[in-house]
Every structure is written in structure tokens, then in C-alpha cells.
Amino acid sequence: MDEIRKTNEELNGIRDKIQDLENQEEQRSKRERKNNIVIKCTDMAPDEENSIETKTKEILSKINAEVMAEKIMYIGKDKQNRGITRVTFNNFEDKLKIMRNKSKLRGQDIYIVSDLTKAEREIQGILRQRAREEREKGDTEAKVGYQKILLRGQWVAWKDINTKN
């Protein structure tokens, strides 16, 4: 019996170490993505040599951000067949200028979002789906923020929703 308890304690210790490593990797990934945005657009595709950079600079000029990208990288296509490009900036303030002015693109098939980790994207997807369902039920104010959702006039954090399930 003593050996089983000792083995279980070792196993729990290993689980804790793995969880710590996963958390550290998530934090590292978040730090790396802090100054990045992702642009999704239907006519963004690598057909010419400079087309991705040219198209990205054109989109950024539409929102009058007046910032220069440090690095532009084509990622691929999403489920709606939109081209996805990751743009890295020198500092967080440049990214904030873009995020504040992205509403100028409303009505066009161009979307600018923060570069999120896989776990963050999954959470945001679940929240968007929940907001869609709430709007269908009649809650016209349902909105999604970063890891939170506006339901019936009150912001609810993801961790609060997640613990209820």
C-alpha cells in the first residue's frame, strides 16, 4: 500500500510539473505575440512577390494608422477562404493604433484581430458562438470582448462561464 501511495504522489508531482511547463509555454507564446496582429482578407494571397506586403500596407493606410510593420508573414487561408497575414510591429503602441482605428474597415471583408494563442482562439470562438446563440434568443446587446461576453447588459468573464459548466 505504501508503494502505491508513493507512486501516486510521484505521478501527481509529474502532473504538476507538466502543468507548470504548459503554463510557462503559454505565457512565453503570449509575450511573443504581444506586438502582433492578424489580418484576414479575401483577396490576400501570395500570387505575386510583393503582393502580401503591398496589400497589407494598403490596408494599414486605409485606417490612417501611420505605423510601419516590422515583419509581414503570410500564414494561409481560413475556412472562409480568406488569406491570413501576421503583422509584427516594433512596439505595442503601434499595435494599439491599429486596433483603435480598425473600425474604419467596417463593412468591408477585412478583419484585423490580435494574434492569439491557440487556447485563446478556442475561448474566443466559444464566446462568439455563445453570443450568436444569445442574439438568436433575442439579446441584441450580446457582444464579445477579450475572454468575456456581454450578456443581458452585464459582462461575464470566461473563467466564470467556464466554472459553471
Side-chain angles (χ1 to χ4, degrees):
M1 279 310 241
D2 206 28
E3 291 177 29
I4 293 173
R5 189 174 41 112
K6 186 177 177 182
T7 305
N8 283 339
E9 288 174 2
E10 288 175 1
L11 190 59
N12 287 335
I14 292 171
R15 282 188 186 124
D16 291 343
K17 286 180 183 178
I18 290 173
Q19 186 63 45
D20 288 344
L21 288 172
E22 287 174 347
N23 290 341
Q24 288 174 7
E25 175 60 22
E26 181 77 11
Q27 292 303 316
R28 184 197 60 76
S29 183
K30 280 175 136 175
R31 278 191 309 274
E32 281 182 2
R33 296 166 185 259
K34 180 182 175 188
N35 296 339
N36 298 353
I37 63 169
V38 173
I39 300 176
K40 297 180 182 183
C41 180
T42 49
D43 56 343
M44 177 120 25
D47 50 5
E48 299 170 20
E49 204 152 308
N50 294 329
S51 69
I52 297 297
E53 291 174 1
T54 305
K55 182 66 179 172
T56 302
K57 289 175 183 174
E58 179 183 309
I59 290 170
L60 295 178
S61 69
K62 282 183 185 179
I63 60 175
N64 302 328
E66 298 175 5
V67 294
M68 293 299 295
E70 178 182 311
K71 183 176 167 187
I72 299 171
M73 185 175 87
Y74 181 75
I75 296 174
K77 295 209 177 257
D78 66 359
K79 294 176 184 173
Q80 289 81 26
N81 208 29
R82 292 183 295 229
I84 303 172
T85 304
R86 177 183 293 131
V87 182
T88 303
F89 296 100
N90 290 324
N91 55 50
F92 189 69
E93 288 75 28
D94 288 348
K95 175 185 173 178
L96 281 179
K97 287 179 188 176
I98 300 292
M99 299 306 283
R100 286 187 188 119
N101 291 328
K102 71 180 186 176
S103 64
K104 295 177 182 176
L105 298 172
R106 193 166 284 151
Q108 302 177 41
D109 192 27
I110 302 171
Y111 300 94
I112 298 177
V113 294
S114 288
D115 188 13
L116 303 175
T117 64
K118 185 175 187 208
E120 291 172 317
R121 285 193 304 270
E122 289 171 359
I123 290 169
Q124 291 301 106
I126 292 167
L127 291 175
R128 278 193 302 275
Q129 179 63 35
R130 174 83 186 268
R132 215 173 287 122
E133 291 168 1
E134 293 295 325
R135 281 188 221 109
E136 288 172 4
K137 291 179 187 174
D139 183 4
T140 57
E141 290 184 353
K143 290 183 184 178
V144 176
Y146 176 71
Q147 296 193 359
K148 61 186 176 183
I149 186 170
L150 181 65
L151 297 173
R152 294 173 285 289
Q154 188 170 357
W155 285 102
V156 182
W158 163 253
K159 60 184 174 185
D160 295 337
I161 292 172
N162 198 27
T163 55
K164 291 177 186 175
N165 294 339

